């Protein structure tokens, strides 16, 4: 993509030959490929070796997962925290795989709503738990930087499946545990 990025530099009025920009097309190319590397990852490959039969049936929560993604409307970052909870039904996911699952979907062009759902639905389909809850709180540079001047606004999205959707106490327990983090 280096030629295309060079061409963008010219279009915005820059001189791609000047010192500071000489290697920029290559660096932007590498950065973009990394930030979208989730396309070449597969949830089965990521999770299949990390699913375990465990007779634990209380809520599992991994909270404050740092999340960085690119909005598909402006190709600008949105970033914040992701909280994931589920109630096992005989199977669990290795804890370290949950942040990696978040990364896998975050490293694609996204809207926050879809990112939230994809994380929840993947956990649901892999281990069929009694319920899944995902909350993402994020700041969008396309809102903050482009003069809307909503510099402190945070977008919150949630996806609640199974027991988290059906049972208000379960949902509240999750939301309280996640809120205590701050
Ligand atoms: Zn945007």
């Amino acid at each position: 993509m280096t030629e295309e990025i060079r061409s963008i530099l010219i279009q915005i009025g820059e001189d791609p030959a000047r010192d500071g920009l000489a290697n920029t097309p290559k660096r932007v190319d590498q950065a973009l490929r990394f930030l979208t590397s989730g396309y070449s990852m597969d949830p089965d490959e990521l999770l299949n070796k990390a699913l375990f039969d465990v007779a634990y049936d209380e809520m599992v929560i991994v909270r404050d997962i740092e999340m960085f993604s690119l909005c598909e409307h402006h190709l600008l970052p949105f970033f914040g925290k992701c909280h994931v909870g589920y109630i096992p039904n005989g199977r669990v996911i290795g804890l370290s795989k949950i942040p990696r699952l978040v990364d896998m979907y975050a490293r694609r062009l996204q809207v926050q709503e879809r990112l939230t759902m994809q994380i929840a639905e993947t956990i649901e389909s892999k281990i069929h738990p009694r319920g899944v809850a995902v909350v993402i709180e994020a700041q969008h540079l396309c809102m903050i930087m482009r003069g809307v001047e909503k510099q402190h606004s945070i977008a919150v999205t949630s996806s609640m499946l199974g027991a988290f959707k059906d049972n208000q106490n379960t949902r509240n327990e999750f939301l309280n545990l996640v809120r205590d983090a701050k």
Side-chain angles (χ1 to χ4, degrees), residues 36-42 72 104 107-110 114:
T36 57
S37 58
Y39 286 115
S40 60
M41 295 171 65
D42 177 63
E72 68 183 18
M104 185 190 84
R107 288 180 189 155
R108 299 177 181 195
L109 303 187
Q110 280 289 8
R114 186 176 63 229

Side-chain angles (χ1 to χ4, degrees), residues 47 65 67 82-85 93 98-99 101-106 110 112-125 132-136 159 161:
L47 298 178
I65 301 166
M67 183 283 304
C82 178
H83 314 291
V84 176
I93 296 176
I98 290 177
L101 181 66
V102 173
D103 283 344
M104 185 190 84
Y105 285 118
Q110 280 289 8
Q112 186 177 327
E113 295 87 341
R114 186 176 63 229
L115 173 60
T116 311
M117 273 170 19
Q118 284 175 330
I119 296 163
E121 285 169 0
T122 300
I123 294 172
E124 147 84 12
S125 75
V132 186
V134 177
V135 171
I136 296 180
S159 179
L161 305 177

